[in-house]
Amino acid sequence: MGGVEHGVHSPDVTGLGGAPPPSWLTERSAEAIRAAEGPAFEAAEYEARLSGLRARMSRLPLDAMLVFRPSSVEYLCGFHTAETAPQPLLVTQSDTHLYIPDLEVGRALASSLAGNIHYCGYADALRGLELFLQHAASVLPARARVGVETGHPSTPPRALDILGGHGLVAVEPGYLVERARLVLSAAELRRVEEAAVVTQRGVDAGVAAARVPGATDSSVAAAIAAALYTEADSPSAWGPVVATGQRGGIPHSSWVGRQLGSGPTFMEFAGTRSRYHAPVMRTVVRDGPLGAAGRRLAELARTAVAAVLETAAEGVTAAHVATEAAKALGRLPGDVMFHQLFGYPVGLAHKPHWMDGAPFYITPDNHEPLVSGMVFHIPGSFRSFGDSGVGLSQTFVVERHGTRTLTHGAADTIEI
């Protein structure tokens, strides 16, 4: 089956390994599934992404890209699923081939604009990649140069051996897809803006839950999660994180059913829209204002966020932004822990984290310039190690003459 039926994309769907077509896969069932959901963006958005990738492939040169990172597969063809087995996308100069277990045919038809969908038995797909990569080799010329990102855990190391066994040359492409993803299109940016609205629902719910007598870190996290998911179209890749009292001073601690104490309670989470994320950190304070130690942490967090937002702009290097922010902070007190990371890119992400792309960080050692359309989260988290922690942050977009904050509300503590 293949083509376009009644304006609905209709890929070629073929089985691998000689198994007969399943009885449930018919033209009628496939058409119904294709019409039921559809990809997150218009076809022209994916065509532009593929066109850009193919131009970059030609410059390397590469005959094909074999993409394993799930978020990059979605970026290029729309396919997304809860299944975590390797499901690569092969991009050539003229076509796209999506490889999936047969159980994922429905998800591929519902969400993907790939030109070809190739499936094999579910158990076969879980055991190995041989059928997928054997087919990939069959549509490529001998000794074809194939780009494969090797730095992400979604790429099975044995895939390189299988490609070599079929006479193909695997080439590390230097985040050829992921670097393009750093700059969001207008349509993508709208998704982050929509996600930020959902994020603020989480903030409001978390603050309200923290006011309830006997509130715990778990009850606050539950309220945040309910707000993020009740009207959502996609799950967050990470969180919500809620850490109260002393546990707030231990990085990446989260809810354990502990009653909120006086002082700061750290919250971090992200609303989503079509798996585009808008993370935020907020800190609620119960039973009166912060003490001197908490005020010191909060002021450092506010300073870091403000310095990044005031310095970043198109053409400014990430290193300059980080250096200016570090100057604004000054020398940190000896008991204060800070990761010296003043921003990391966010946007489309799949589990396990919303940091799901090229490693382009706002740090003193990154001398590349910022580009309009890049979106960053500023993780302004400062901790008196093992004692308490304050996290304040914003998600922002780089623009020609500065920055525009996408998340809502002030990056400040919230007294309840």
Side-chain angles (χ1 to χ4, degrees):
M1 63 183 69
V4 177
E5 300 174 2
H6 310 297
V8 180
H9 173 70
S10 178
D12 287 320
V13 182
T14 58
L16 302 176
S23 60
W24 44 261
L25 181 58
T26 65
E27 290 282 359
R28 183 176 179 179
S29 65
E31 183 177 1
I33 289 174
R34 287 192 296 270
E37 183 176 325
F41 297 96
E42 297 294 327
E45 180 84 8
Y46 297 100
E47 290 166 3
R49 297 171 184 180
L50 287 169
S51 178
L53 173 59
R54 285 167 173 147
R56 298 190 300 276
M57 287 163 52
S58 295
R59 289 193 290 267
L60 275 180
L62 293 174
D63 298 290
M65 271 291 300
L66 186 63
V67 182
F68 282 93
R69 188 192 292 254
S71 57
S72 289
V73 171
E74 179 178 3
Y75 174 79
L76 292 170
C77 76
F79 174 66
H80 60 92
T81 176
E83 175 57 69
T84 58
Q87 297 169 87
L89 178 73
L90 181 72
V91 180
T92 70
Q93 285 295 344
S94 60
D95 218 338
T96 50
H97 299 264
L98 179 63
Y99 298 97
I100 57 173
D102 58 7
L103 199 61
E104 300 304 308
V105 168
R107 288 300 314 145
L109 290 170
S111 63
S112 169
L113 287 175
N116 304 274
I117 297 172
H118 308 283
Y119 64 89
C120 66
Y122 187 66
D124 292 329
L126 293 176
R127 281 197 297 262
L129 295 169
E130 286 79 5
L131 286 172
F132 292 166
L133 301 189
Q134 181 182 11
H135 181 273
S138 74
V139 301
L140 295 173
R143 303 297 298 168
R145 289 168 52 86
V146 182
V148 185
E149 181 197 355
T150 59
H152 192 264
S154 62
T155 303
R158 58 197 176 85
L160 304 181
D161 294 332
I162 297 171
L163 290 172
H166 287 292
L168 303 176
V169 179
V171 178
E172 171 55 59
Y175 299 103
L176 200 63
V177 179
E178 288 70 28
R179 287 189 66 83
R181 288 176 50 195
L182 289 171
V183 180
L184 274 61
S185 69
E188 290 180 288
L189 190 55
R190 284 194 293 272
R191 291 294 192 275
V192 180
E193 292 169 339
E194 292 164 0
V197 173
V198 180
T199 302
Q200 187 57 34
R201 292 180 194 148
V203 174
D204 295 341
V207 172
R211 288 195 173 102
V212 175
T216 67
D217 51 11
S218 297
S219 66
V220 171
I224 293 169
L228 297 182
Y229 292 152
T230 297
E231 298 180 15
D233 67 357
S234 53
S236 178
W238 194 64
V241 169
V242 180
T244 192
Q246 183 181 15
R247 298 184 75 255
I250 307 171
H252 291 167
S253 297
S254 193
W255 42 273
V256 291
R258 183 165 297 185
Q259 188 166 331
L260 302 191
S262 60
T265 294
F266 171 90
M267 308 184 301
E268 183 180 17
F269 49 87
T272 63
R273 185 65 68 193
S274 301
R275 290 155 301 284
Y276 283 79
H277 289 62
V280 77
M281 294 177 178
R282 293 290 184 262
T283 299
V284 296
V285 184
R286 285 173 59 103
D287 303 328
L290 284 170
R295 291 196 303 271
R296 178 186 61 175
L297 296 176
E299 181 58 28
L300 290 170
R302 285 191 293 265
T303 298
V305 173
V308 172
L309 292 175
E310 291 167 4
T311 309
E314 181 181 48
V316 177
T317 65
H320 179 72
V321 177
T323 300
E324 291 302 303
K327 287 180 183 178
L329 288 173
R331 186 170 181 176
L332 296 179
D335 66 315
V336 172
M337 166 184 277
F338 177 60
H339 39 54
Q340 301 298 325
L341 174 64
F342 291 97
Y344 54 78
V346 294
L348 176 61
H350 287 215
K351 292 183 178 183
H353 203 276
W354 56 63
M355 293 175 65
D356 188 9
F360 190 105
Y361 306 130
I362 300 180
T363 53
D365 60 350
N366 180 6
H367 297 282
E368 292 195 52
L370 305 180
V371 178
S372 287
M374 287 183 167
V375 173
F376 292 92
H377 177 227
I378 314 168
S381 57
F382 291 79
R383 295 173 174 88
S384 180
F385 186 58
D387 180 66
S388 64
V390 171
L392 306 174
S393 77
Q394 302 286 26
T395 293
F396 72 93
V397 59
V398 176
E399 297 186 329
R400 183 176 180 184
H401 298 297
T403 62
R404 179 164 61 92
T405 301
L406 301 176
T407 39
H408 300 193
D412 207 347
T413 55
I414 303 169
E415 294 185 7
I416 57 174

